[in-house]
């Protein structure tokens, strides 16, 4: 009986060989744990928002919400580097080259330490200038000053303690490259539960406010990162590094690894400057005669709508993340026909998700129902609903465009063509900035302030959809060249290094963890 119970458990924790079997079933089964991971991340993000929304003042809630573009700059640069560098590990897995996996892992660890130190220092010393760029600065006005204090407090903790969150993402990307998308989910579930408990302790019991919300996130993710690293090293022998593995790191290999990671990191980071422009535009709708209006309805309504959007974007992002590993493993195996089929089948899944998200968000927008999830009732007004629903109307109809963007970006990245996703990020940045700076004021017929029209706010929100369209156009070229018109490779992939005799075919010690 015990053996019968153990078998389903081992099957649940198995690695998935993305180079074999049914394409859509493998992509779907591999992406589901990633989806649940993202939903959990969204959930404890919602927990922070809900607890803050029910315990903090409207100005503090607005201040925390205004930090999103800034945290996006630094976190997404670090996380993008990690995802890009992990492509090389997945490529070695596809080549059945465990020694190559070990060398790529050692290289990524060393580079990750360097990246997180540099990014942490830069982020801490640029918080004030970036807040000023958002239009948030110390002021004699009580509302302005409260928004600034909340934003600065939250950022200094999140950015100063970035290492824990970053290395959690490092090990998650590495495990997914190996074909294991379940282990990150398990440790994230533990982290989420701990985050909720710490939120309640720090905010509700200790009354630490904004600082408590930030500390809860940092501590829970740091502990999860440590535990996940220990488990991964114990389970996968490819990740058990020796001092000689670090000494064997070559400059050329390190540069190749950086080339895979840095453009993707820059792409995500560059996008944040477009988001800052958009957030700054949203803040303008809450100002009159240069001062913040009471209640900051545009920021609160827009922030709640973005949280709803992020919730329904998680399936898109999960499929996109799965496609990096799928593409990279099959690229390593030399099976470009399988990559082409997988891309098409994933696009069909994206269409289904876009239709479902559009219907669900429309229903939740009725009477601003979604705002009651994220905000206390006294913070919800007719204006917060008007601003939030206007943004949803400008973005949700274009979710198909967004799904195509996420798919193409990750497939091209998995093919080790990082320049094109970076250029797509530049196009997205330019599109969002141009639209947000000029269209709202043009439609309004006057500079933007709290008296601006709803139509002007619609075109501010359209900055997202317009940016997605431009990025899609950039990525069509590599998709056509390297996926649609790519000729099948007749020669089998050859490992870059000779595998050890004891690991000729297995990627893990447990043969039952490999999908037959």
């Amino acid at each position: 009986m015990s053996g019968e119970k153990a078998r389903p458990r081992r099957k649940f924790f198995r690695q998935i060989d993305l180079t074999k079997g049914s394409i859509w079933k493998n992509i779907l089964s591999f992406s589901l744990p990633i989806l649940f991971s993202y939903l959990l991340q969204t959930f404890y993000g919602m927990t922070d928002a809900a607890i803050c929304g029910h315990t903090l003042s409207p100005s503090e809630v607005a201040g925390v919400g205004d930090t999103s573009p800034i945290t996006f700059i630094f976190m997404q640069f670090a996380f993008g580097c990690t995802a890009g560098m992990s492509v090389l590990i997945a490529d070695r897995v596809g080549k059945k080259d465990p020694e190559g996996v070990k060398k790529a892992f050692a290289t990524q660890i060393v580079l990750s330490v360097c990246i997180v130190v540099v990014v942490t220092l830069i982020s801490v010393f640029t918080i004030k200038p970036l807040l000023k760029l958002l239009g948030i600065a110390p002021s004699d006005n009580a509302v302005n000053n409260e928004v600034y204090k909340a934003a600065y407090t939250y950022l200094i903790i999140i950015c100063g303690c970035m290492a824990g969150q970053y290395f959690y993402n490092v090990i998650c990307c590495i495990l997914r490259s190996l074909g294991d998308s379940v282990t990150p989910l398990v440790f994230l579930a533990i982290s989420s539960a701990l985050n909720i408990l710490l939120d309640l302790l720090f905010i509700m019991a200790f009354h630490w406010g904004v600082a408590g919300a930030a500390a809860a996130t940092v501590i829970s993710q740091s502990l999860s990162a440590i535990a996940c690293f220990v488990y991964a090293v114990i389970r996968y022998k490819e990740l058990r590094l020796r001092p000689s593995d670090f000494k064997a790191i070559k400059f050329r290999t390190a540069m190749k690894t950086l080339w895979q990671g840095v453009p993707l990191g820059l792409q995500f980071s560059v996008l944040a400057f477009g988001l800052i422009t958009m957030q700054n535009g949203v803040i303008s709708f809450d100002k009159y005669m240069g001062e913040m209006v009471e209640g900051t309805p545009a920021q609160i309504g827009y922030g709640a709508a973005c949280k709803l959007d992020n919730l329904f974007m998680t399936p898109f992002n999960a499929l996109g993340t799965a496609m990096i590993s799928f593409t990279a493993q099959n690229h390593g195996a030399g099976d470009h026909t399988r990559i082409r089929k997988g891309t098409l089948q994933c696009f069909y899944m994206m269409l289904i998700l876009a239709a479902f998200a559009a219907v669900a968000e429309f229903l939740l927008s009725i009477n601003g129902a979604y705002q009651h999830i994220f905000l206390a009732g006294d913070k919800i007004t007719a204006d917060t609903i008007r601003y939030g629903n206007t943004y949803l109307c400008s973005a949700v109809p274009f979710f198909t465009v967004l799904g195509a963007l996420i798919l193409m970006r990750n497939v091209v990245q998995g093919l080790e063509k990082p320049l094109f996703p970076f250029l797509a990020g530049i196009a997205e940045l330019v599109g969002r900035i141009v639209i947000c700076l000029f269209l709202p004021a043009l439609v309004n017929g006057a500079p933007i302030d709290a008296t601006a029209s709803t139509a002007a706010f619609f075109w501010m929100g359209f900055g997202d959809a317009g940016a997605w369209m431009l990025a899609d156009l950039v990525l069509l070229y590599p998709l056509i060249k390297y996926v649609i018109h790519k000729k099948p490779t007749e020669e089998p992939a050859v490992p870059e290094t000779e595998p050890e005799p004891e690991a000729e075919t297995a990627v893990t010690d447990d043969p039952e963890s490999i999908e037959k």
Side-chain angles (χ1 to χ4, degrees):
M1 183 65 69
S2 61
E4 293 177 0
K5 292 182 179 179
R7 185 176 296 276
R9 182 177 63 83
R10 287 196 298 267
K11 186 176 181 181
F12 179 74
F13 282 94
R14 76 190 190 282
Q15 287 176 269
I16 296 179
D17 187 345
L18 297 171
T19 64
K20 300 176 182 177
S22 171
I23 294 176
W24 73 269
K25 287 182 180 179
N26 271 357
I27 294 174
L28 189 60
S29 61
F30 186 73
S31 66
L32 282 177
I34 300 174
L35 170 61
F36 293 138
S37 295
Y38 287 169
L39 288 174
L40 275 174
Q41 288 177 320
T42 303
F43 173 70
Y44 74 62
M46 290 168 57
T47 302
D48 283 342
I51 293 176
C52 290
H54 286 79
T55 58
L56 305 180
S57 69
S59 297
E60 289 176 318
V61 173
V64 173
D66 290 340
T67 64
S68 296
I70 297 177
T71 56
F72 194 93
I73 291 176
F74 301 111
M75 293 297 182
Q76 292 304 315
F77 173 76
F79 294 170
C81 287
T82 299
M85 290 189 292
S86 296
V87 167
L88 296 179
I89 294 179
D91 179 82
R92 304 305 184 268
V93 172
K95 287 182 168 72
K96 306 296 187 249
D97 180 12
E99 275 300 304
V101 170
K102 184 172 292 189
K103 291 179 180 179
F105 178 51
T107 303
Q108 185 167 345
I109 291 297
V110 172
L111 293 176
S112 294
V113 171
C114 298
I115 289 171
V116 76
V117 169
V118 172
V119 174
T120 298
L121 291 174
I122 293 175
S123 66
V124 168
F125 287 106
T126 56
I127 289 175
K128 290 183 179 180
L130 288 172
L131 283 174
K132 188 174 182 180
L133 185 62
L134 274 174
I136 302 172
S139 170
D140 293 333
N141 179 275
V143 176
N144 285 16
N145 210 40
E146 193 173 9
V147 169
Y148 170 78
K149 286 183 178 180
Y152 182 81
T153 300
Y154 190 81
L155 284 172
I156 197 67
I157 296 173
I158 292 293
C159 293
C161 304
M162 186 186 301
Q165 299 181 68
Y166 175 69
F167 278 102
Y168 172 74
N169 197 70
V170 168
I171 192 60
C172 286
C173 288
I174 290 170
L175 287 170
R176 288 165 186 157
S177 297
L178 294 174
D180 181 357
S181 59
V182 175
T183 298
L185 169 62
V186 173
F187 283 96
L188 182 60
I190 298 171
S191 174
S192 299
L194 179 61
N195 188 83
I196 294 171
L197 292 175
L198 292 177
D199 267 335
L200 296 174
L201 179 65
F202 294 163
I203 299 177
M204 305 293 286
F206 294 171
H207 304 291
W208 289 356
V210 172
T217 299
V218 168
I219 293 172
S220 61
Q221 289 194 343
S222 298
L223 293 176
S224 182
I226 294 170
C228 198
F229 256 103
V230 171
Y231 174 83
V233 170
I234 292 173
R235 180 175 180 188
Y236 298 105
K237 64 181 179 182
E238 301 91 324
L239 305 184
R240 300 171 198 165
L241 301 178
R242 303 155 303 204
S244 58
D245 293 317
F246 293 100
K247 294 178 181 178
I249 295 175
K250 298 179 180 178
F251 178 79
R252 181 179 178 183
T253 303
M255 290 301 100
K256 183 177 181 181
T257 304
L258 282 176
W259 173 241
Q260 289 301 315
V262 171
L264 188 61
L266 286 174
Q267 177 210 345
F268 289 152
S269 187
V270 161
L271 288 178
F273 287 98
L275 295 176
I276 286 178
T277 302
M278 192 168 183
Q279 185 74 36
N280 197 18
V282 170
I283 292 173
S284 298
F285 283 84
D286 277 337
K287 288 185 175 181
Y288 186 70
M289 303 292 291
E291 302 292 343
M292 290 277 191
V293 299
E294 189 70 30
T296 58
Q299 294 170 73
I300 289 179
Y302 171 76
C306 285
K307 288 181 175 66
L308 181 67
D309 259 3
N310 290 336
L311 179 64
F312 282 96
M313 285 179 186
T314 50
F316 295 91
N317 291 322
L319 280 175
T321 301
M323 285 304 293
I324 286 187
S325 297
F326 173 85
T327 305
Q329 284 194 18
N330 284 285
H331 179 62
D335 193 346
H336 292 282
T337 299
R338 187 174 175 85
I339 293 174
R340 186 185 304 115
K341 291 179 179 179
T343 302
L344 182 62
Q345 292 176 21
C346 188
F347 179 71
Y348 292 149
M349 287 187 260
M350 290 286 193
L351 290 178
I352 296 172
L353 290 174
F356 171 78
V359 173
E361 291 204 33
F362 169 74
L363 294 175
L364 287 170
S365 69
I366 297 175
N367 296 324
Y370 64 93
Q371 296 197 4
H372 292 275
I373 300 173
F374 308 108
L375 302 168
D378 62 329
K379 296 180 180 67
I380 302 172
T381 65
D383 280 336
T384 65
I385 294 174
R386 173 171 65 89
Y387 282 120
N389 285 2
T390 300
Y391 170 74
L392 292 178
C393 289
S394 69
V396 173
F398 300 95
F399 269 11
T400 300
V401 177
L402 174 63
L405 169 60
I406 292 172
L407 172 62
M408 290 190 291
R409 175 192 297 151
N410 287 288
V411 168
V412 173
Q413 183 72 34
L415 291 171
E416 300 183 27
K417 306 292 182 184
L419 179 61
F420 293 103
F422 173 69
L423 294 176
I426 297 295
E428 202 171 340
L429 168 69
V430 172
R432 189 173 278 111
I433 289 178
V434 170
I435 291 172
C436 292
L437 286 182
F438 297 106
L439 273 183
L442 184 64
V443 170
N444 194 52
I448 299 298
D449 61 15
T451 64
S453 66
T454 301
F457 194 81
F458 173 90
W459 287 104
M460 180 69 68
F462 184 77
D464 278 340
W468 300 337
M469 292 176 190
L470 285 176
D472 277 353
L473 292 175
V474 173
L475 289 169
L476 277 175
Y477 170 75
L479 182 76
I480 293 171
K481 181 176 181 179
Y482 299 111
V483 178
I484 296 176
H485 289 162
K486 177 72 175 181
K487 295 182 179 179
T489 304
E490 295 181 359
E491 297 181 1
V494 179
E496 292 187 359
T497 60
E498 289 295 326
E500 296 177 353
E502 61 180 8
E504 290 181 354
T505 58
V507 183
T508 178
D509 288 324
D510 183 5
E512 292 188 22
S513 69
I514 301 178
E515 186 181 47
K516 299 296 186 289

